[in-house]
Amino acid sequence: MCGIIGYVGGRPCKELILGGLERLEYRGYDSAGIALLEPGEDGFATVRAVGNLSRLREAAGSDGSPATTGVGHTRWATHGRVTEANAHPHADATGRLVVAMNGIIENYVQLRATLRDQGVVFRSETDAEVLPHLIARHYHGDLAAAVQAVIPLIDGHYAFVAAHADEPGRLVGARRECPLVIGVGDGERFLASAIPAFLRETRDVMIIESGEVVAVSPDSTVVWDGSGTPLMREASTVDWDEDAAEKGGYETFMLKEIHEQPDALHDTIGDRLRPGGHVDLPGFGLDDAALARVERIHLVACGTSHHAGLVGRYLIEDWARVPVHVEVASEYRYRTCLAGPGDLVIGITQSGETADTLAAMRVARERGAHVVALTNIMGSQATRDADGVLYTRAGLEIGVAATKTHIAQVMALALLALKLGRLRWALSEAGAADLGEDLTALPGLLREYLASGHPEEVLQTAARYADRPFFLYLGRHVGMPVCFEGALKLKEISYIPTEAYPAGEMKHGPIALLDEGSPVVVVATDGHVFDKVVSNIQEVRARGARVIAVATEGNEEIAAHADDVLWVPRTPALLSPVLSVVPLQLFAYGIARARGLNVDQPRNLAKTVTVE
C-alpha cells in the first residue's frame, strides 16, 4: 500500500528519502511527495507529484539540500482522486507541521466537519489531512505529547510519521495495524513502512507494535504504549542484504523471483523435513498430541495466498483426512464465525500485514480457535497476533505479483499436511517416507525446468497470444487452484479480462463466452481427472477455441487435443501445483512484456494491502 520514510540524522536527507521511496515502489503507488526541513526556512519545503517517482525527482530538482530532517511518501489512493493536492505529506495551516500516513481514518468525515467549524480550510480531499490539523491543535511544544493526545480521537487502521519545524531533528510516529518500523543507524534514525526503505543504510531494526507511539532523534528512540507508558525496545539485525532488493541481472524483479523459486522451496523445507517423512514445525504453538486432535482447519487468506490455501486443502484432506475450509478473509471476518476450541485457523499472508487476513485471524482467536500465521515476514503483525507461526522462507519479494511466496506457501502447507497425516495415522510409515522424498525432489525438478528451454518456449507461445482481448482458464481437482492463480497473474500484469473456472462448471455459463479463436488455458497435468479434462478440452475446441494446455512431460496424448502445450516435469499428481503454476507465471509475464507493460508495478495494485 502507501509507502512512508522519514529521516533524522546528520546527513543531508533529500537523496536518502527519494532513494527510500524508490525502494518502496514495489508496494504500489499513484503519486508521491517529500517534505524537507530546510535550515533558515519558515516551515517545511514540500514537493508533490502525480505519477512515478521520476516525476517527483523532476519536481524536486537536482540541487542538493542541506536538510537533515524530512519525510517522504508514496500514495495509493483510497480517499480522494489521484491529484497533486491529494498527495502526501500534508501540512497544518502554518506549514510547520507535516504528516505522511498509510491507512484509513474511518471517522474522518466527522473530524473534518468539526475542524471546518473551527475555521480549518482543507486543501485536499483525503482523510489523512485531518491529522496535521488535529495534531496542531494539541501541540504545545511537544510533538509526541500532541500525537498521543490525538490517537484516542481517530478511528481506523493507520501508520503515520509527523514532524514539526519547532523540533528539528525529531520525528514522531504511530501505528494501529498498518506497519511501521525503525531503522537504527549511527547518529541517525529512519521511520518507514517497510524495511527495504532504509536497508541500504542500516540493517538494525526496531519493530513498533500496534497501538504504540514512537519518537526518534539522531541518537535516541523512545516508545510508548497506548497508555503513554515508556517501553524498553531492543534493535535486532535483519539477515537480508541489499542485493536481495536488486534485480541480479534479470530484466525485472518478477522474472528474478520466478527463477528464485527453487531456492524458496528448498529453504522452506530446510531442516523441517527429516528422513522417513518426519516433519518438525517449531513455533507452531501446538504439541503433537494437540495437533492430532484438531477437528477442523480453516485457511483464511486473500488473492494469491487464498489460491495457495486451496491447494493446501487437497493435500491436508487427502493425506490427513481433516476437513478443511478455505475462506476469503475479507468475507470470513464479516460472517458468523463458527470456529472455536478444537479448530485450527491459519491466516496465510505473505507480508503478515494484510488487513482483512489479520481481522479474520482476530475473530477466530476471540472464538477460542488456535490461530497460526503462515507468513514470509518475521516480526510482522500476523506473527504477533497469532498463537503460533509457520514461516515460509522465500526471501524478500519485490514484484507486486507474487510468485515465489506462493509456492513457498504451498510447500509450507504440504509440510503441515504430511505431519498431520503421520500424527493421525492416515499415512503409513512407507507412504510418509515416499511423500517426504517427493517433496525433497521438487526444488531440483523446478531448478532443472527453469534451466531448460521450456521457459523460453512459454514466452514465445505467450507472444503469439498477446493481442487477444479475453482468456478463459480451466482446471479440475488440484488443477483448479492453479488455473485460478494463473488467471490472476494474467489479470494483474497484463490487464486482460480473464475468467477462471472449475472445468466441470464450464457448461454452466462460461462456455457462452467462447467463439472462434478464443484462447483457453487448461491445466491438464496427469492425474485421476485427466480424462475428464480432455473431455472439457473437446467441448471448447468444438466451439472453435484455441487450447493452451499445461501438461506433464511424456504425455503424448495431450498433443492431439491442444494447439499449444506448456510442459512441466512429472511429479505425483497432488504435488503438481508446485510446478504447473510456473509456466502460467511465465505465460502471464510473456504477454505483459509483449504488450510493453511494467510487470513489477502493475496499475492500481499494491504489494501489501494494509487497508480494508
Side-chain angles (χ1 to χ4, degrees):
M1 217 42 91
C2 306
I4 299 170
I5 180 170
Y7 174 86
V8 289
R11 292 192 281 168
C13 65
K14 179 179 177 181
E15 187 55 40
L16 291 172
I17 292 174
L18 289 171
L21 292 178
E22 288 170 346
R23 287 183 285 279
L24 292 177
E25 284 185 297
Y26 71 93
R27 296 169 67 88
Y29 68 100
D30 48 51
S31 56
I34 184 171
L36 301 176
L37 184 56
E38 302 284 4
E41 298 292 333
D42 185 23
F44 285 83
T46 300
V47 179
R48 294 176 289 188
V50 172
N52 60 37
L53 283 170
S54 64
R55 299 276 184 88
L56 180 62
R57 279 193 173 276
E58 181 180 351
S62 58
D63 294 341
S65 166
T68 58
T69 299
V71 177
H73 187 268
T74 54
R75 178 179 186 246
W76 192 82
T78 55
H79 293 70
R81 296 165 296 166
V82 179
T83 65
E84 185 176 315
N86 288 334
H88 299 218
H90 291 293
D92 72 333
T94 69
R96 298 182 63 78
L97 191 160
V98 295
V99 174
M101 188 197 84
N102 176 19
I104 294 174
I105 304 299
E106 293 175 349
N107 61 334
Y108 85 100
V109 174
Q110 301 94 309
L111 293 172
R112 195 177 176 103
T114 299
L115 288 165
R116 189 177 284 120
D117 289 343
Q118 295 172 358
V120 170
V121 176
F122 286 90
R123 303 182 183 94
S124 79
E125 304 165 312
T126 69
D127 56 329
E129 196 188 348
V130 301
L131 279 175
H133 296 296
L134 280 174
I135 296 170
R137 272 158 171 66
H138 291 82
Y139 183 75
H140 304 290
D142 186 339
L143 184 58
V147 168
Q148 289 171 319
V150 164
I151 294 300
L153 306 179
I154 56 178
D155 299 330
H157 40 281
Y158 53 79
F160 66 84
V161 175
H164 201 294
D166 290 352
E167 299 179 56
R170 193 181 196 213
L171 299 176
V172 176
R175 65 163 298 222
R176 182 183 294 163
E177 298 187 26
C178 295
L180 189 68
V181 293
I182 305 168
V184 180
D186 184 9
E188 59 187 9
R189 296 291 188 274
F190 297 84
L191 277 176
S193 49
I195 293 171
F198 53 74
L199 189 60
R200 181 170 293 177
E201 311 303 328
T202 180
R203 292 195 296 157
D204 292 336
V205 176
M206 289 184 184
I207 300 296
I208 306 303
E209 300 288 351
S210 184
E212 294 180 345
V213 174
V214 57
V216 296
S217 58
D219 295 304
S220 68
T221 303
V222 182
V223 180
W224 296 272
D225 66 13
S227 67
T229 302
L231 303 170
M232 297 295 295
R233 189 61 46 85
E234 297 292 330
S236 58
T237 301
V238 297
D239 57 3
W240 305 343
D241 57 42
E242 218 251 320
D243 288 342
E246 300 298 334
K247 295 177 183 175
Y250 291 93
E251 65 175 358
T252 63
F253 285 117
M254 183 178 178
L255 188 60
K256 173 177 180 282
E257 288 155 5
I258 287 172
H259 283 265
E260 288 174 343
Q261 290 182 114
D263 290 337
L265 290 175
H266 178 271
D267 292 346
T268 296
I269 295 172
D271 57 358
R272 293 163 166 166
L273 180 57
R274 295 181 285 112
H278 297 284
V279 177
D280 293 322
L281 299 176
F284 203 79
L286 287 176
D287 60 27
D288 286 356
L291 185 56
R293 292 195 299 270
V294 165
E295 298 173 3
R296 293 180 302 178
I297 297 175
H298 301 245
L299 305 178
V300 294
C302 301
T304 287
S305 296
H306 180 258
H307 300 156
L310 291 173
V311 177
R313 175 176 64 188
Y314 286 100
L315 299 175
I316 295 169
E317 289 186 342
D318 191 273
W319 296 352
R321 299 295 194 266
V322 180
V324 178
H325 304 275
V326 186
E327 307 280 357
V328 175
S330 57
E331 292 296 320
Y332 185 86
R333 64 183 291 191
Y334 292 114
R335 285 172 43 205
T336 300
C337 180
L338 300 181
D343 291 343
L344 171 63
V345 175
I346 302 177
I348 311 173
T349 158
Q350 66 87 17
S351 67
E353 306 287 352
T354 307
D356 287 315
T357 304
L358 293 174
M361 291 166 62
R362 290 168 190 151
V363 168
R365 201 175 186 199
E366 289 168 2
R367 294 278 302 173
H370 183 84
V371 176
V372 170
L374 199 172
T375 182
N376 195 49
I377 305 298
M378 297 181 66
S380 59
Q381 188 64 45
T383 67
R384 301 195 291 279
D385 287 351
D387 301 302
V389 179
L390 177 55
Y391 284 113
T392 53
R393 298 163 178 169
L396 184 62
E397 186 174 66
I398 299 296
V400 169
T403 52
K404 64 178 181 175
T405 53
H406 169 71
I407 65 168
Q409 289 167 346
V410 173
M411 178 58 76
L413 291 170
L415 293 173
L416 173 61
L418 180 53
K419 183 176 181 66
L420 274 168
R422 290 296 291 120
L423 290 175
R424 296 171 64 87
W425 296 99
L427 291 173
S428 67
E429 290 187 14
D434 288 343
L435 286 173
E437 292 178 1
D438 292 334
L439 289 174
T440 303
L442 285 174
L445 288 173
L446 183 50
R447 188 171 285 109
E448 291 172 6
Y449 170 83
L450 290 169
S452 72
H454 288 316
E456 183 58 33
E457 293 169 2
V458 175
L459 296 177
Q460 292 173 1
T461 301
R464 295 199 297 272
Y465 290 92
D467 61 344
R468 302 303 171 93
F470 168 78
F471 284 77
L472 178 65
Y473 279 57
L474 300 173
R476 280 182 179 264
H477 199 250
V478 289
M480 181 188 68
V482 175
C483 90
F484 288 168
E485 176 60 12
L488 178 61
K489 285 292 156 286
L490 188 64
K491 286 181 279 192
E492 284 179 319
I493 64 174
S494 75
Y495 320 143
I496 297 175
T498 306
E499 289 277 6
Y501 265 84
E505 294 295 296
M506 176 188 56
K507 295 187 292 295
H508 298 275
I511 198 168
L513 296 170
L514 301 180
D515 55 21
E516 191 70 30
S518 295
V520 179
V521 179
V522 184
V523 180
T525 48
D526 288 2
H528 69 288
V529 295
F530 176 77
D531 290 341
K532 297 293 185 183
V533 173
V534 169
S535 295
N536 298 136
I537 290 174
Q538 295 296 342
E539 289 167 344
V540 301
R541 293 192 80 189
R543 274 75 184 175
R546 292 185 63 84
V547 173
I548 303 112
V550 178
T552 306
E553 286 181 333
N555 184 335
E556 297 179 1
E557 179 182 353
I558 194 64
H561 303 291
D563 298 281
D564 295 278
V565 181
L566 312 180
W567 300 105
V568 293
R570 181 171 300 279
T571 195
L574 281 175
L575 297 182
S576 64
V578 176
L579 302 178
S580 57
V581 74
V582 178
L584 297 186
Q585 295 168 348
L586 290 164
F587 187 75
Y589 182 90
I591 287 179
R593 295 300 284 168
R595 293 165 72 96
L597 300 172
N598 185 338
V599 300
D600 287 334
Q601 297 172 40
R603 70 188 184 197
N604 302 332
L605 295 180
K607 183 64 177 172
T608 306
V609 183
T610 57
V611 297
E612 183 179 354

